[in-house]
Amino acid sequence: MLNTDQFEWLSFDCYGTLVDWESGICDAVSNVLNRHGVHRSTRKILAMFSEIEPKVQARPGYLRYRDVLHEVMQSIAAELNLAFSDDELGSLAESLPNWPIFPDVAGALQTLKERYKLAVISNVDDDLFASTAKALNVDFDLVVTAQQVQSYKPDLRNFNVASAHMKVDKQNWLHVAESLYHDISPANQLGIKSVWVNRPNRGGGTRPTDAVPDVVVPDLAALTEILCRH
């Protein structure tokens, strides 16, 4: 169990943890596929995404996340032997600001903000997160994006940059995320305590890994109950 009194900072992954990125991804990709008379299940779309996205992010040289999503759509088109228009190739990135916030998130963040400093460490561009931040409706004490660091989680640089800004001992930092691959694994490597938000019927958008969180919760409401019950 966690010693909840030891933490000063809570950092969060955004897309997948605070934002229902699986619904956002599947809706955007399905809309394009349907125009071409092609239908794929949610599971298949997420399987393609989870295979393609990290490969694009791992290529030499940094790409903005908007461009990563463009490349993802190109790869999906190639895999399905389709030809997407320029608008269709850009549609996944354009949809991101409208991806839905999980219903438990806003209230949980407001409650946690009363006790902890809050950070976001996200694999996204500054302008894309700015649109999402309006919907989250909480003032984060720190936002670290992939664009700022010029790398993508699970690269340790993203966490090291956050640490440099927080100026906090690792024992006083708790990282909260949905992705074992992008977040819990690097937290393990760095000795940062972590919470895996294992939402029901979710998790198909990221690669599997053997990372081990300190605590598992089904949503942020459950996390808030643990951290704020004293």
Side-chain angles (χ1 to χ4, degrees):
M1 291 298 294
L2 296 173
N3 175 8
T4 59
D5 293 329
Q6 77 185 71
F7 301 115
E8 299 174 18
W9 280 87
L10 305 182
S11 60
F12 294 86
D13 164 63
C14 184
Y15 301 95
T17 304
L18 308 179
V19 174
D20 185 359
W21 81 326
E22 292 189 6
S23 292
I25 291 165
C26 289
D27 287 348
V29 174
S30 291
N31 286 340
V32 173
L33 294 182
N34 289 343
R35 293 177 204 157
H36 293 263
V38 175
H39 303 281
R40 289 294 183 273
S41 67
T42 294
R43 178 177 294 182
K44 176 59 177 175
I45 290 171
L46 292 175
M48 288 190 293
F49 184 89
S50 66
E51 180 66 21
I52 297 166
E53 186 214 34
K55 288 182 178 178
V56 176
Q57 291 173 333
R59 291 175 186 170
Y62 170 77
L63 281 178
R64 295 181 310 161
Y65 194 59
R66 183 181 296 277
D67 296 326
V68 169
L69 294 181
H70 187 279
E71 292 290 319
V72 168
M73 291 298 286
Q74 280 192 323
S75 295
I76 289 174
E79 183 170 328
L80 299 178
N81 197 28
L82 300 172
F84 291 167
S85 69
D86 288 343
D87 285 347
E88 288 171 336
L89 290 171
S91 62
L92 183 54
E94 291 300 322
S95 74
L96 187 149
N98 298 315
W99 292 356
I101 310 297
F102 286 113
D104 57 285
V105 165
L109 290 177
Q110 292 291 344
T111 300
L112 293 169
K113 176 71 173 173
E114 296 175 1
R115 183 168 180 175
Y116 302 98
K117 292 182 179 179
L118 305 185
V120 164
I121 307 174
S122 182
N123 278 353
V124 76
D125 303 337
D126 290 337
D127 65 323
L128 292 176
F129 178 75
S131 297
T132 299
K134 295 175 184 177
L136 291 172
N137 197 31
V138 66
D139 290 327
F140 289 98
D141 298 282
L142 175 66
V143 174
V144 175
T145 66
Q147 184 177 16
Q148 294 167 21
V149 185
Q150 300 284 286
S151 67
Y152 288 98
K153 299 179 296 181
D155 195 304
L156 301 184
R157 285 178 290 175
N158 299 61
F159 292 86
N160 288 332
V161 167
S163 179
H165 285 290
M166 290 178 187
K167 296 181 172 61
V168 67
D169 292 336
K170 289 177 182 176
Q171 66 183 6
N172 303 126
W173 173 9
L174 181 66
H175 187 59
V176 182
E178 172 268 346
S179 175
L180 294 172
Y181 170 75
H182 293 100
D183 291 271
I184 305 302
S185 180
N188 285 174
Q189 294 176 61
L190 292 170
I192 301 166
K193 296 287 187 182
S194 63
V195 175
W196 180 28
V197 183
N198 184 22
R199 295 181 181 276
N201 303 313
R202 290 294 191 275
T206 62
R207 288 180 171 179
T209 179
D210 58 359
V212 179
D214 294 279
V215 171
V216 181
V217 296
D219 54 34
L220 259 62
L223 175 64
T224 302
E225 175 66 22
I226 292 170
L227 293 178
C228 299
R229 61 188 170 192
H230 298 300

